[in-house]
Amino acid sequence: MKLAAIDIGSNAVRCQISSVLNQNGNVIFKRIEYIRYAIRFGEDVFSNGFISEYKIQKFIKLLHAFQLLLDVHDVDHYMVCATSAMRTSENAPEILDRVHQAIGMNIQVIDGVAEADLINKVIVNFLDERNYLHIDVGGGSTEFNIYVNREKMASQSFEQGSIRHMHGVDSQELWNSMRVWIEENAKKYHLTRAIGTGGNINKIFDMSGKAVGKPIFRKQIEEITQGIAAMTMEQRITELLLNPDRADVILPAAEIYLSAMKWAKLESMLVPAVGLKDGMIHALYEQHHQERFVISQISR
């Protein structure tokens, strides 16, 4: 069986195709194709309130390309989800209709709660007996989840993300709301470690040279971001080999991660390199295989 997820974010659109393997009753999702394209809907929406015609046309072409890729791979089931920028855009209904008319693809615009629930499907596989604050920073929103004994105890989504923060369309009131929520829950649930998801924290973790599965410390994140901040945009691209759409948002995203860790008084973070697209594939598997199963591994 092959499953696919198309994640339409505020910064980029991602398409992942995974094959489903069964090893003695344990399910393994093996990634066989992954494409990321920086569409940057958030730049339009968070500044003007709607997505431009230029990007709509490019978006339809991109989805058509993904559709052909799914056909070539003989994908059995797929899911298409859009998050913060699309749910904020004034012309989202028109875009969804045009996509359906052009290529017959249906897009689910999900809220922050649904987004967090999908990510939860993969995050629980990386938790232990510690009490965790999960921080997921996207381009347009940030999701926080509290886990105790691998069970989610609290969850909150904020319309705050790397692109919103970079363009200054967030507010002090929003930052205060995030701080209050984290401080209250950190005290209530005695949090001891963070777990981070999102492309920017994945890149920071890669730059740290830490071994996969080992935690990165807050001090290390601060040191790496200070080094990036000292560089020009050109240096970030040519010396650190960051994509242009990563080079400008990595610091605004890092500020959200670091602020959340400080508010919760956490010194370390796990970075499992999974996200919404992985949760979508889990959800697809559950939908089409409702019998009891154990997810044992996500293979890269």
Side-chain angles (χ1 to χ4, degrees), residues 22-167:
N22 190 315
Q23 291 185 347
N24 301 318
N26 291 330
V27 174
I28 295 175
F29 296 116
K30 186 179 188 302
R31 188 169 75 182
I32 57 176
E33 194 77 71
Y34 175 68
I35 298 174
R36 177 184 181 275
Y37 180 78
I39 195 82
R40 294 219 140 174
F41 282 156
E43 284 189 334
D44 287 4
V45 176
F46 306 144
S47 299
N48 306 317
F50 61 90
I51 295 169
S52 68
E53 178 62 25
Y54 171 76
K55 287 191 178 178
I56 294 172
Q57 293 184 19
K58 182 167 285 192
F59 178 56
I60 293 174
K61 290 178 182 178
L62 179 65
L63 291 183
H64 187 214
F66 286 163
Q67 189 179 58
L68 293 174
L69 187 63
L70 268 56
D71 288 343
V72 168
H73 276 285
D74 296 320
V75 168
D76 296 282
H77 307 286
Y78 70 93
M79 179 185 295
V80 188
C81 290
T83 55
S84 182
M86 191 67 76
R87 63 179 177 250
T88 305
S89 179
E90 295 173 4
N91 58 343
E94 174 198 338
I95 295 171
L96 301 185
D97 184 63
R98 287 176 61 176
V99 168
H100 182 72
Q101 293 294 327
I103 61 175
M105 185 175 282
N106 293 315
I107 300 172
Q108 301 178 49
V109 181
I110 59 174
D111 61 19
V113 174
E115 188 174 351
D117 286 344
L118 285 168
I119 298 171
N120 174 71
K121 293 182 181 297
V122 287
I123 286 298
V124 294
N125 296 292
F126 297 92
L127 304 179
D128 52 26
E129 70 282 354
R130 291 179 177 86
N131 296 352
Y132 283 89
L133 169 65
H134 173 221
I135 310 165
D136 181 74
V137 179
S141 67
T142 295
E143 278 67 50
F144 296 119
N145 301 285
I146 305 292
Y147 293 94
V148 175
N149 293 325
R150 304 181 77 245
E151 181 180 351
K152 186 158 72 172
M153 307 301 293
S155 179
Q156 186 66 49
S157 178
F158 292 91
E159 292 298 293
Q160 163 69 298
S162 58
I163 293 182
R164 288 183 193 269
H165 188 31
M166 179 176 67
H167 288 286

Side-chain angles (χ1 to χ4, degrees), residues 1-3 18-32 285 293-297 299:
M1 174 181 286
K2 292 180 182 177
L3 303 173
S18 296
S19 59
V20 183
L21 307 176
N22 190 315
Q23 291 185 347
N24 301 318
N26 291 330
V27 174
I28 295 175
F29 296 116
K30 186 179 188 302
R31 188 169 75 182
I32 57 176
Y285 184 84
F293 65 94
V294 177
I295 305 296
S296 63
Q297 185 180 347
S299 175

